[in-house]
Amino acid sequence: MSAPQPTKTALKTVSLKFNHSSLWSWFQKLIVFIIFSLVVNHLSTPESFPNGESYRFPVEGFLSTIALCILIGIIAELNFKFYKKKYFSKKVEIASISWYMVSTLGYITVMYFPLGIVLNKIAGGETEFYYLLIGLLITLLLSFILIGLAYSLDIYNLYKLSIKDYEITIESGAKITKLTYENIACFYSENKIVYTVQNDGTTISTDFTLNELEEKINDQLFFRVNRQIIIHKDAVDQIEKIANGKLRITLKTSIENDSITEINISRYKRKAFMTWFQ
């Protein structure tokens, strides 16, 4: 059975938007590569300095740098897609960004040595480890700058999504509901069923377990206070110190279930909770 015409039109529109967005992103990165190559090659030798008496446009260096930038860009893009799927889609933090940069530079290092040796052989020169090492260090430094320029906006946009606007799909039997993080007060488990509580007090049953949710959601915003409850940071109304080093948490949202109206945090989780909350 063919899809209805409005559905086909909607799918086509979404596909066009995605393609345009992807092409625009690649076009922006290509512009960064070209500008970066121009700057690097015009500063590499005195003959390439603009307005100099012996100025000559560095055609060979410019083209070879563009080719190297494209190769580095492919490595960075493939690694970025991997990190986006496995890490950045859940949360964006300094550690994950650092590992992305380190792993990308590692792949470039692995690529650089055999490529450098092959190019030296083609050019008829001898491969000297010292110059190969110096070339690698310069390439890694320039790659770090280039990748930072090319992907800073993408990472920033992913960070904004992970913090505020990211949506989670809640499946409840035959019903599917999409909720943004900012509209969720907490998740709680009762009688082996996990419920989502929205800020207005509306409760939706889910097909998740709390363990599955804990793996999916952003732990910069959500904290599992005990075996039964995961709360959103913005949903906390009051924190009270009680006996035996425990904390009592009161949520802003009015919830019919008395067992989660006030939440106790053990003294063992107190430090982790306060670190997360602050």
Side-chain angles (χ1 to χ4, degrees), residues 62-215:
F62 174 69
L63 293 177
S64 61
T65 305
I66 281 289
L68 181 61
C69 284
I70 290 173
L71 186 58
I72 291 170
I74 291 171
I75 294 172
E77 180 69 15
L78 292 175
N79 201 30
F80 182 76
K81 286 183 177 179
F82 170 76
Y83 268 77
K84 181 179 178 181
K85 183 178 180 180
K86 190 168 183 180
Y87 300 107
F88 296 155
S89 61
K90 182 183 176 185
K91 61 180 178 179
V92 179
E93 57 183 1
I94 296 297
S96 56
I97 296 172
S98 299
W99 276 113
Y100 163 69
M101 292 297 296
V102 169
S103 60
T104 303
L105 295 178
Y107 294 136
I108 292 170
T109 301
V110 171
M111 173 274 299
Y112 182 86
F113 281 107
L115 183 63
I117 293 171
V118 169
L119 290 177
N120 278 335
K121 292 292 183 182
I122 293 174
E126 293 184 2
T127 301
E128 295 188 29
F129 180 75
Y130 173 77
Y131 292 109
L132 200 63
L133 183 60
I134 294 299
L136 172 64
L137 294 176
I138 294 173
T139 300
L140 291 179
L141 176 61
L142 296 179
S143 298
F144 181 84
I145 298 171
L146 184 62
I147 294 167
L149 290 172
Y151 288 92
S152 57
L153 184 59
D154 292 326
I155 291 174
Y156 176 68
N157 288 335
L158 286 172
Y159 172 77
K160 288 197 300 182
L161 282 174
S162 70
I163 289 299
K164 183 179 179 182
D165 299 326
Y166 192 81
E167 289 184 336
I168 184 169
T169 302
I170 305 295
E171 296 186 13
S172 177
K175 293 183 180 180
I176 298 177
T177 306
K178 281 188 175 291
L179 296 176
T180 57
Y181 281 162
E182 62 181 345
N183 289 327
I184 298 172
C186 68
F187 302 96
Y188 73 92
S189 175
E190 186 176 51
N191 298 324
K192 298 185 178 180
I193 299 176
V194 173
Y195 298 90
T196 303
V197 181
Q198 299 181 63
N199 291 332
D200 61 3
T202 304
T203 301
I204 304 172
S205 63
T206 79
D207 292 339
F208 291 116
T209 65
L210 281 184
N211 288 338
E212 289 171 342
L213 278 171
E214 197 173 13
E215 288 297 317

Side-chain angles (χ1 to χ4, degrees), residues 41-73:
N41 281 281
H42 278 85
L43 296 178
S44 59
T45 58
E47 292 80 11
S48 299
F49 285 3
N51 301 323
E53 293 182 0
S54 59
Y55 172 74
R56 182 180 70 87
F57 185 84
V59 178
E60 299 86 354
F62 174 69
L63 293 177
S64 61
T65 305
I66 281 289
L68 181 61
C69 284
I70 290 173
L71 186 58
I72 291 170

Side-chain angles (χ1 to χ4, degrees), residues 223 247 265-276:
F223 186 87
L247 297 175
I265 298 179
S266 71
R267 61 189 178 94
Y268 303 106
K269 276 204 167 186
R270 173 176 172 168
K271 184 177 180 181
F273 172 80
M274 292 307 299
T275 300
W276 166 79

